[in-house]
Short mmCIF file of all heavy atoms in Angstrom, two decimals:
data_model
loop_
_atom_site.label_atom_id
_atom_site.label_comp_id
_atom_site.label_asym_id
_atom_site.label_seq_id
_atom_site.Cartn_x
_atom_site.Cartn_y
_atom_site.Cartn_z
N ALA B 126 62.67 139.80 68.95
CA ALA B 126 63.20 138.50 68.54
C ALA B 126 64.55 138.65 67.86
O ALA B 126 65.51 137.93 68.17
CB ALA B 126 62.21 137.79 67.63
N THR B 127 64.63 139.59 66.94
CA THR B 127 65.89 139.82 66.23
C THR B 127 66.97 140.28 67.20
O THR B 127 68.11 139.77 67.18
CB THR B 127 65.72 140.92 65.14
OG1 THR B 127 64.42 140.80 64.59
CG2 THR B 127 66.78 140.81 64.08
N ASP B 128 66.59 141.23 68.03
CA ASP B 128 67.53 141.78 69.00
C ASP B 128 68.09 140.68 69.92
O ASP B 128 69.30 140.51 70.05
CB ASP B 128 66.79 142.83 69.83
CG ASP B 128 67.78 143.77 70.52
OD1 ASP B 128 68.98 143.67 70.19
OD2 ASP B 128 67.34 144.58 71.36
N ILE B 129 67.18 139.91 70.51
CA ILE B 129 67.61 138.88 71.47
C ILE B 129 68.42 137.79 70.78
O ILE B 129 69.45 137.35 71.28
CB ILE B 129 66.37 138.28 72.20
CG1 ILE B 129 65.83 139.33 73.17
CG2 ILE B 129 66.75 137.02 72.96
CD1 ILE B 129 64.55 138.93 73.87
N SER B 130 67.96 137.38 69.58
CA SER B 130 68.71 136.30 68.94
C SER B 130 70.11 136.77 68.53
O SER B 130 71.06 136.01 68.57
CB SER B 130 67.95 135.68 67.78
OG SER B 130 67.83 136.62 66.74
N ASN B 131 70.22 138.06 68.15
CA ASN B 131 71.56 138.58 67.85
C ASN B 131 72.45 138.58 69.08
O ASN B 131 73.63 138.21 69.02
CB ASN B 131 71.48 140.01 67.30
CG ASN B 131 71.03 140.01 65.86
OD1 ASN B 131 71.12 138.98 65.18
ND2 ASN B 131 70.53 141.15 65.40
N ARG B 132 71.85 139.03 70.20
CA ARG B 132 72.64 139.08 71.43
C ARG B 132 73.05 137.66 71.89
O ARG B 132 74.16 137.43 72.33
CB ARG B 132 71.85 139.77 72.54
CG ARG B 132 71.86 141.27 72.40
CD ARG B 132 70.89 141.94 73.36
NE ARG B 132 70.54 143.26 72.88
CZ ARG B 132 71.33 144.32 73.01
NH1 ARG B 132 72.48 144.23 73.64
NH2 ARG B 132 70.96 145.49 72.53
N LEU B 133 72.11 136.72 71.77
CA LEU B 133 72.43 135.33 72.14
C LEU B 133 73.51 134.76 71.23
O LEU B 133 74.44 134.08 71.68
CB LEU B 133 71.17 134.46 72.09
CG LEU B 133 70.20 134.57 73.27
CD1 LEU B 133 68.94 133.77 73.01
CD2 LEU B 133 70.87 134.09 74.56
N ALA B 134 73.37 135.06 69.93
CA ALA B 134 74.37 134.56 68.97
C ALA B 134 75.76 135.09 69.32
O ALA B 134 76.75 134.37 69.19
CB ALA B 134 73.99 134.96 67.55
N GLY B 135 75.78 136.33 69.82
CA GLY B 135 77.06 136.92 70.23
C GLY B 135 77.70 136.15 71.37
O GLY B 135 78.92 136.20 71.58
N LYS B 136 76.89 135.42 72.12
CA LYS B 136 77.41 134.63 73.23
C LYS B 136 77.52 133.15 72.87
O LYS B 136 77.65 132.28 73.74
CB LYS B 136 76.49 134.76 74.45
CG LYS B 136 76.22 136.18 74.84
CD LYS B 136 76.34 136.36 76.34
CE LYS B 136 76.30 137.82 76.72
NZ LYS B 136 77.59 138.49 76.51
N GLY B 137 77.41 132.86 71.59
CA GLY B 137 77.57 131.48 71.16
C GLY B 137 76.29 130.66 71.20
O GLY B 137 76.32 129.45 71.01
N TRP B 138 75.16 131.31 71.46
CA TRP B 138 73.88 130.60 71.46
C TRP B 138 73.17 130.89 70.15
O TRP B 138 72.54 131.92 70.00
CB TRP B 138 73.00 131.05 72.63
CG TRP B 138 73.50 130.69 73.98
CD1 TRP B 138 74.26 131.46 74.80
CD2 TRP B 138 73.27 129.48 74.69
NE1 TRP B 138 74.53 130.80 75.96
CE2 TRP B 138 73.92 129.57 75.94
CE3 TRP B 138 72.56 128.30 74.39
CZ2 TRP B 138 73.91 128.55 76.89
CZ3 TRP B 138 72.54 127.29 75.34
CH2 TRP B 138 73.21 127.41 76.57
N LYS B 139 73.27 129.96 69.21
CA LYS B 139 72.58 130.14 67.92
C LYS B 139 71.11 129.77 68.08
O LYS B 139 70.79 128.70 68.55
CB LYS B 139 73.22 129.27 66.85
CG LYS B 139 74.16 130.08 65.95
CD LYS B 139 74.97 129.22 65.02
CE LYS B 139 74.15 128.52 63.95
NZ LYS B 139 75.04 127.58 63.18
N THR B 140 70.24 130.69 67.68
CA THR B 140 68.81 130.43 67.93
C THR B 140 68.05 130.06 66.66
O THR B 140 68.42 130.44 65.55
CB THR B 140 68.12 131.68 68.52
OG1 THR B 140 68.38 132.79 67.67
CG2 THR B 140 68.62 131.98 69.90
N GLU B 141 66.97 129.30 66.91
CA GLU B 141 65.97 129.08 65.86
C GLU B 141 64.68 129.69 66.42
O GLU B 141 64.55 129.80 67.64
CB GLU B 141 65.71 127.60 65.60
CG GLU B 141 66.90 126.70 65.75
CD GLU B 141 66.48 125.23 65.95
OE1 GLU B 141 65.40 124.84 65.47
OE2 GLU B 141 67.24 124.51 66.60
N LEU B 151 61.75 131.38 70.75
CA LEU B 151 63.15 131.21 70.31
C LEU B 151 63.74 130.06 71.11
O LEU B 151 63.43 129.89 72.28
CB LEU B 151 63.99 132.44 70.60
CG LEU B 151 63.56 133.81 70.09
CD1 LEU B 151 64.67 134.82 70.36
CD2 LEU B 151 63.26 133.75 68.62
N PHE B 152 64.61 129.31 70.45
CA PHE B 152 65.27 128.21 71.16
C PHE B 152 66.73 128.11 70.75
O PHE B 152 67.09 128.36 69.61
CB PHE B 152 64.57 126.88 70.87
CG PHE B 152 65.31 125.71 71.45
CD1 PHE B 152 65.27 125.48 72.81
CD2 PHE B 152 66.08 124.88 70.64
CE1 PHE B 152 65.98 124.41 73.35
CE2 PHE B 152 66.78 123.82 71.18
CZ PHE B 152 66.73 123.58 72.54
N SER B 153 67.54 127.78 71.74
CA SER B 153 68.96 127.58 71.44
C SER B 153 69.50 126.51 72.38
O SER B 153 69.07 126.40 73.53
CB SER B 153 69.73 128.88 71.66
OG SER B 153 71.10 128.65 71.39
N LYS B 155 73.14 123.97 73.50
CA LYS B 155 74.56 123.62 73.36
C LYS B 155 74.74 122.20 73.87
O LYS B 155 74.14 121.81 74.87
CB LYS B 155 75.44 124.55 74.20
CG LYS B 155 75.63 125.94 73.60
CD LYS B 155 76.51 126.77 74.51
CE LYS B 155 76.71 128.16 73.94
NZ LYS B 155 77.46 129.03 74.86
N ILE B 397 68.09 126.78 76.16
CA ILE B 397 67.46 128.06 76.52
C ILE B 397 66.26 128.32 75.60
O ILE B 397 66.36 128.13 74.39
CB ILE B 397 68.47 129.23 76.36
CG1 ILE B 397 69.52 129.16 77.47
CG2 ILE B 397 67.77 130.58 76.41
CD1 ILE B 397 70.56 130.25 77.37
N VAL B 399 63.26 131.28 74.74
CA VAL B 399 62.80 132.64 74.98
C VAL B 399 61.42 132.77 74.35
O VAL B 399 61.26 132.51 73.15
CB VAL B 399 63.75 133.70 74.36
CG1 VAL B 399 63.27 135.10 74.71
CG2 VAL B 399 65.17 133.49 74.87
N LEU B 430 73.23 135.73 82.05
CA LEU B 430 72.74 135.93 80.70
C LEU B 430 71.37 136.62 80.70
O LEU B 430 71.15 137.59 79.97
CB LEU B 430 72.64 134.57 80.00
CG LEU B 430 72.26 134.57 78.53
CD1 LEU B 430 73.39 135.16 77.70
CD2 LEU B 430 71.96 133.16 78.05
N LEU B 434 70.31 140.29 79.20
CA LEU B 434 69.27 140.46 78.18
C LEU B 434 68.18 141.40 78.67
O LEU B 434 67.69 142.25 77.92
CB LEU B 434 68.66 139.11 77.82
CG LEU B 434 69.50 138.18 76.95
CD1 LEU B 434 68.77 136.86 76.75
CD2 LEU B 434 69.80 138.82 75.59
#
Side-chain angles (χ1 to χ4, degrees):
Chain B
T127 324
D128 199 9
I129 289 175
S130 67
N131 283 341
R132 282 170 202 281
L133 281 174
K136 307 225 170 281
W138 293 94
K139 259 171 67 186
T140 53
E141 325 160 29
L151 305 187
F152 173 74
S153 179
K155 284 180 181 175
I397 289 179
V399 183
L430 185 69
L434 285 177

